[in-house]
Amino acid sequence: MNIMEWDSENASSTFLAQVSDLAAKADWENLRVAYLGKKNGLVTDLVEQLRNVPREEKPRLGKAVNQFKSLVEKTLQDHPLAKVESSAAQKVFDYTLPGYQPAMGSLHPLTLIQDRMVEFFVRQGYDVAEGPQIETAYYNFEALNTPESHPARDEQDTFYFPDGRLLRTQTSGVQIRYMETHQPPFRMIAPGKVYRRDDDITHSPMFHQLEGLVVGEGITFSDLKGTLQAFSRYLFGPETQIRLRPSYFPFTEPSAEVDVSCPFCSSGCRTCKQTRWLEILGSGMVDDNVLKGVGIDPERYTGFAFGMGIERIAMLALGIPDIRWFYQNDRRFLDPFSWR
Ligand code: DAH
């Protein structure tokens, strides 16, 4: 069809007549191809020819072709047969195929381990507290007996905001917030995210800690030891031994690092690096300065505290060699935990 001989009114009525004759989906499809098909469709062809019509004819013909094009598109689209499934499409659906099994969500292994740890303490009457992840230097360091000049600040290098606040490097600040708002005696734990400038197979810039604090009259180092022994047996099995090594933390005095006997061997293995012991947490008796700072009288009250990395415990308990696996959302890693 030469566009110069094309009569738009005639074309429209012809098209509408053809539409009114449509009886089956296949007819509708044929008509669509005849008008809108990429190759040889009448509308497609006219649009193409528009490019070469004489300048003075362009506005008139352009308008006519566009109106015709809209008429065809809209009429076909709105036609009841447009929504009928084509026989070709029907054939493609095979009702005998097995059903599609939707993927089930489940708790993350870190959540599972954290829940287990929290449960131990909740059963012993501990309160569960939370604090902000964006923290002031006061709660993260100073109130924990770690002034600006203290070398322990370097080890906990973190991310600072322009206003001086920081991403907390430890959950220990929650101890301070809790003591400011509660009177002893009390026992509390604080699980949560912490941040440090560290990144390798056992360190991540974001990880989780669980903090614990018990303050009351007559709380002694034996209470600390007994609590951590019971906790270790609960986590790693009833045969588990613990070992306390003298250590240093600015906010406890004396301080101890706690190891558990390797749950995987009795004579040395890869997990315990042939030492038969695994370090799991830091702890100690709350430093007098910390108690004084929150207005608790250290002559009357004493307390113990401890803190541990949840990833570390999970890696030991579940035999996971690389901390980054926790954050990659790889189903090959996550799925085996989903039955729990
Ligand atoms: N905040 C310490 C850390 O991140 C862990 C810790 C050690 C917490 C001893 C305590 C504690 O409450 O008493 O390494």
Side-chain angles (χ1 to χ4, degrees):
M1 164 67 67
N2 184 334
I3 191 165
M4 300 309 290
E5 288 154 22
W6 178 67
D7 174 347
S8 67
E9 276 182 32
N10 210 343
S12 301
S13 47
T14 307
F15 168 71
L16 291 172
Q18 289 170 320
V19 168
S20 63
D21 282 346
L22 288 178
K25 179 73 180 204
D27 302 337
W28 180 93
E29 272 164 0
N30 289 337
L31 194 62
R32 197 184 60 83
V33 170
Y35 281 86
L36 300 173
K38 288 230 160 46
K39 270 191 208 155
N40 307 326
L42 177 59
V43 171
T44 319
D45 183 36
L46 290 170
V47 169
E48 212 134 273
Q49 289 187 51
L50 263 184
R51 271 193 275 153
N52 304 319
V53 299
R55 269 184 117 230
E56 60 279 11
E57 292 286 358
K58 234 180 203 164
R60 183 184 65 82
L61 278 172
K63 194 171 168 209
V65 168
N66 272 329
Q67 277 175 351
F68 182 59
K69 182 175 178 224
S70 311
L71 170 80
V72 171
E73 285 176 344
K74 192 160 169 18
T75 309
L76 286 174
Q77 202 178 11
D78 293 347
H79 196 276
L81 282 171
K83 280 169 209 85
V84 174
E85 283 225 350
S86 70
S87 51
Q90 275 165 2
K91 250 185 237 140
V92 167
F93 194 87
D94 180 351
Y95 291 94
T96 66
L97 285 172
Y100 167 68
Q101 181 137 32
M104 295 288 281
S106 61
L107 292 179
H108 192 277
L110 281 178
T111 308
L112 293 166
I113 291 282
Q114 179 178 310
D115 286 354
R116 259 183 82 187
M117 293 162 71
V118 168
E119 187 178 334
F120 172 85
F121 291 105
V122 166
R123 283 195 203 169
Q124 308 225 2
Y126 283 66
D127 198 5
V128 182
E130 277 184 40
Q133 292 171 42
I134 299 175
E135 186 56 286
T136 63
Y138 176 76
Y139 285 108
N140 197 76
F141 291 123
E142 268 109 67
L144 290 159
N145 205 27
T146 318
E148 184 99 61
S149 58
H150 201 289
R153 282 206 182 187
D154 287 346
E155 279 167 37
Q156 300 197 357
D157 196 8
T158 184
F159 306 91
Y160 288 84
F161 292 86
D163 66 2
R165 288 186 302 166
L166 46 85
L167 289 178
R168 67 178 179 190
T169 61
Q170 50 189 355
T171 42
S172 303
V174 188
Q175 289 186 14
I176 306 298
R177 292 180 172 277
Y178 194 91
M179 288 191 282
E180 283 177 348
T181 49
H182 295 77
Q183 285 302 313
F186 56 73
R187 34 194 136 172
M188 61 81 85
I189 51 167
K193 289 188 167 65
V194 300
Y195 303 82
R196 290 187 197 180
R197 284 185 57 174
D198 253 344
D199 201 4
D200 59 41
I201 68 164
T202 52
H203 297 88
S204 156
M206 183 284 300
F207 63 105
H208 298 77
Q209 283 189 336
L210 185 107
E211 189 80 16
L213 173 70
V214 175
V215 178
E217 281 177 73
I219 299 289
T220 69
F221 202 88
S222 304
D223 297 312
L224 167 65
K225 197 174 163 189
T227 300
L228 295 178
Q229 187 165 62
F231 175 67
S232 301
R233 290 184 176 159
Y234 165 85
L235 267 192
F236 294 103
E239 308 297 320
T240 307
Q241 309 274 311
I242 65 168
R243 175 173 86 168
L244 276 67
R245 284 178 291 108
S247 184
Y248 174 80
F249 298 102
F251 33 88
T252 45
E253 183 60 34
S255 304
E257 256 160 344
V258 177
D259 300 340
V260 293
S261 52
C262 181
F264 301 110
C265 71
S266 52
S267 56
C269 69
R270 225 173 47 158
T271 304
C272 64
K273 302 202 182 84
Q274 313 301 331
T275 64
R276 293 196 291 122
W277 295 97
L278 300 168
E279 181 192 325
I280 60 160
L281 58 82
S283 65
M285 299 305 291
V286 183
D287 195 290
D288 284 3
N289 282 340
V290 174
L291 294 175
K292 277 186 217 150
V294 291
I296 294 178
D297 178 6
E299 297 302 326
R300 178 165 174 206
Y301 294 106
T302 50
F304 68 80
F306 53 88
M308 64 196 98
I310 296 177
E311 277 81 351
R312 177 164 172 79
I313 305 264
M315 288 168 80
L316 294 175
L318 304 170
I320 294 163
D322 189 331
I323 195 170
R324 292 170 292 207
W325 292 4
F326 287 124
Y327 317 117
Q328 288 165 343
N329 290 335
D330 187 329
R331 295 279 305 274
R332 289 170 299 176
F333 169 66
L334 297 173
D335 281 351
F337 301 106
S338 63
W339 56 270
R340 280 158 207 257

